[in-house]
Amino acid sequence: MNDLERHSIVRLKQYTTLRVGGRPLLYARPRGYSELTAVLRCCRERHLPVRIMGGGSNLLADDGDLPFAVIHIRSPGFCWIRPVAPATVRVGAGTVLPRLLAYCREAGLSGLEFLAGVPGTVGGALAGNAGAWGAAIGERFARAWALDETGNKVEVAADGMAFRYRSCDLGRRIIAEAELELAPCDPELISQRMACFAARKAQVHPTASASAGCVFKNPPEAPAGKLLDLCGMKGRRIGGAEVSRLHANFICNVAGATSQDVLELIAEMRDAVRRNYGMELELEVRHWSSTQEAA
Ligand code: EPU
């Protein structure tokens, strides 16, 4: 970490499900709390903006050199699951959702089946209150342990998160581990529910393609996918980025898309809905711009 003038050799496209993203000023994958604290303090001393990455599944990072540090919560020190009460699990923030769901299925713990087929890590899912089929992960949240921007460990109670549709009040805190409250249930029944949700998802979403999930939040009036579909956006392509032919609220990287391709397509999608319906679509994917200051 001595030479921060040169960008990291890591390109974020290696880690994002959209397969887009350039080189942050610093890329760190801390092995545990003490390394995470050390990296945060180092960035703070150098006035380096910090971005946190989990599964990279809801992320559009610009190509080229990025003016911030990326801390990737994915090392084994943050990927673990422990029972702490008959129906409560404590889970490291870097644990991927499919692994957590497999654990729940085997342990006979119900409550997260709706996440079957959803990529990403527990930390990312909590930060964005990931949801599907009318349920969201925040409903199962009991408490978390996070680091604030100075690297101090803090406990976050359920009412400190204020979960909303695809967001919460986490602010600049970084979730390191969380407890989820589940309900005992027959493993066979859990397994059937998961299979059913995963099959439903595979029917309506382009799960086999490189994407960052739904591009826009659903406005209260109508689903963004439906509006974009009615605007004729399915199959619209710019460079290597294409609006999914299956679901118009997904952009797929079909042939080495650049972030510019994706951003131009996003602008077109927004324009189409604005012109036809007078509505302003709000991004659901997080955009890490190479020009903006860290949010
Ligand atoms: N629709 C169309 N054309 C399309 C896409 C959708 O007419 O191209 C219609 C569908 O037929 C349906 C309605 O729009 O009547 C809603 O579509 P869908 O059931 O696919 O759900 P969605 O509202 O597009 C939301 C979440 C998804 C989540 C699903 C399942 C948002 C932005 N999206 O999608 O979450 O998996 O419900 O519950 O809230 C994500 O967050 O990345 C994501 C994929």
Side-chain angles (χ1 to χ4, degrees):
M1 284 195 282
N2 291 330
D3 193 356
L4 293 183
E5 297 311 309
R6 274 191 270 141
H7 281 72
S8 142
I9 54 161
V10 169
R11 284 176 204 278
L12 295 185
K13 69 194 294 182
Q14 289 173 242
Y15 299 118
T16 59
T17 55
L18 185 59
R19 303 278 168 258
V20 168
R23 302 187 310 166
L25 214 38
L26 172 82
Y27 170 87
R29 193 190 290 213
R31 283 174 292 186
Y33 275 106
S34 58
E35 284 191 9
L36 177 54
T37 300
V39 176
L40 282 169
R41 290 188 177 153
C42 163
C43 291
R44 200 172 159 79
E45 275 161 24
R46 291 164 192 260
H47 306 287
L48 199 56
V50 167
R51 305 282 171 115
I52 305 300
M53 181 148 110
S57 57
N58 191 37
L59 187 59
L60 166 59
D62 282 355
D63 297 320
D65 290 346
L66 302 168
F68 46 79
V70 169
I71 303 181
H72 200 179
I73 309 292
R74 280 297 287 125
S75 65
F78 293 107
C79 300
W80 47 264
I81 306 170
R82 278 202 302 271
V84 289
T88 307
V89 289
R90 193 177 292 187
V91 57
T95 309
V96 290
L97 294 175
R99 183 173 160 212
L100 175 62
L101 265 63
Y103 173 91
C104 291
R105 189 172 50 216
E106 274 155 41
L109 293 172
S110 171
L112 297 174
E113 295 90 313
F114 64 93
L115 289 172
V118 175
T121 60
V122 169
L126 285 169
N129 195 17
W133 319 116
I137 193 168
E139 292 156 28
R140 295 288 164 183
F141 178 86
R143 63 184 66 79
W145 288 267
L147 292 192
D148 64 19
E149 47 190 324
T150 57
N152 293 318
K153 193 175 176 183
V154 290
E155 186 172 336
V156 187
D159 59 2
M161 289 288 272
F163 288 106
R164 297 179 293 281
Y165 170 57
R166 294 297 191 271
S167 74
C168 69
D169 282 350
L170 188 61
R172 289 178 185 270
R173 292 170 295 183
I174 301 162
I175 296 179
E177 55 188 282
E179 269 182 19
L180 303 173
E181 294 277 359
L182 303 166
C185 181
D186 173 22
E188 185 52 35
L189 199 59
I190 295 176
S191 177
Q192 283 171 14
R193 284 198 204 125
M194 286 181 183
C196 180
F197 282 125
R200 252 165 99 182
K201 183 169 172 65
Q203 254 177 3
V204 291
H205 294 157
T207 48
S209 304
S211 84
C214 281
V215 178
F216 300 104
K217 291 183 182 173
N218 282 341
E221 297 85 356
K226 186 170 188 172
L227 296 171
L228 290 158
D229 192 358
L230 291 170
C231 291
M233 292 306 294
K234 274 183 177 166
R236 172 74 185 121
R237 180 165 168 176
I238 295 181
E242 184 179 274
V243 177
S244 165
R245 292 164 194 269
L246 185 62
H247 194 297
N249 197 13
F250 281 70
I251 291 177
C252 299
N253 182 349
V254 291
T258 62
S259 58
Q260 196 53 36
D261 297 339
V262 178
L263 287 168
E264 282 177 25
L265 201 47
I266 285 175
E268 250 192 49
M269 292 159 90
R270 266 197 172 129
D271 276 355
V273 171
R274 192 182 300 121
R275 257 186 291 111
N276 288 291
Y277 297 100
M279 285 183 218
E280 203 54 46
L281 291 180
E282 191 189 332
L283 272 189
E284 204 227 295
V285 294
R286 279 177 308 151
H287 177 210
W288 287 357
S289 164
S290 58
T291 52
Q292 270 166 13
E293 247 301 284

